[in-house]
Amino acid sequence: DADRLTQSVVNLVSNAVKFSPSGGLVTVTLSRRERSVRICVRDRGPGIPDSFRERIFRKFSQAAGSPESMRKRGAGLGLSIVKAITERMGGTIGFDSAPGQGSAFFLEFPAA
């Protein structure tokens, strides 16, 4: 579903921009792996606190961010929606993050 895939990527990019410092770089990459295709959105923000990682994809969950990102807070539904869409399309969602070095969220789908 192209519309739902677009919605998911836009949500990840929006989050990356929200949690990046002003003028920070956000990158989106598409890569083919052995049996899958991966879309990755990487930011250079503060990273995800260890205490939040377990609940990051739960509804209404929000991590603390910079004062600027806190003013732009949403309802905490975005990542749970992206997860549901991705799984409905047979994919998986995951992330890598390091404190002070940013985060990378990725969607993987079986290659056709």
Side-chain angles (χ1 to χ4, degrees):
D1 183 338
D3 290 336
R4 297 294 68 84
L5 180 59
T6 299
Q7 177 185 0
S8 295
V9 173
V10 166
N11 182 282
L12 294 179
V13 170
S14 175
N15 281 354
V17 169
K18 184 184 340 182
F19 286 97
S20 290
S22 181
L25 180 65
V26 172
T27 57
V28 180
T29 57
L30 175 64
S31 58
R32 172 122 183 176
R33 299 171 156 258
E34 189 172 317
R35 295 189 175 155
S36 64
V37 175
R38 178 183 271 211
I39 302 167
C40 182
V41 178
R42 180 177 298 280
D43 66 54
R44 304 304 187 276
I48 299 164
D50 289 340
S51 61
F52 187 69
R53 291 171 186 247
E54 178 183 303
R55 62 184 191 276
I56 196 158
F57 296 113
R58 291 186 196 162
K59 290 180 181 177
F60 308 111
S61 292
Q62 295 181 332
S66 69
E68 183 179 328
S69 69
M70 296 303 280
R71 286 191 295 276
K72 300 177 189 175
R73 287 176 72 114
L77 293 171
L79 288 176
S80 67
I81 291 170
V82 172
K83 183 177 190 294
I85 289 170
T86 301
E87 290 176 349
R88 238 180 272 134
M89 293 193 301
T92 58
I93 185 172
F95 67 96
D96 295 314
S97 184
Q101 296 182 24
S103 302
F105 281 83
F106 54 87
L107 309 176
E108 280 195 33
F109 298 95

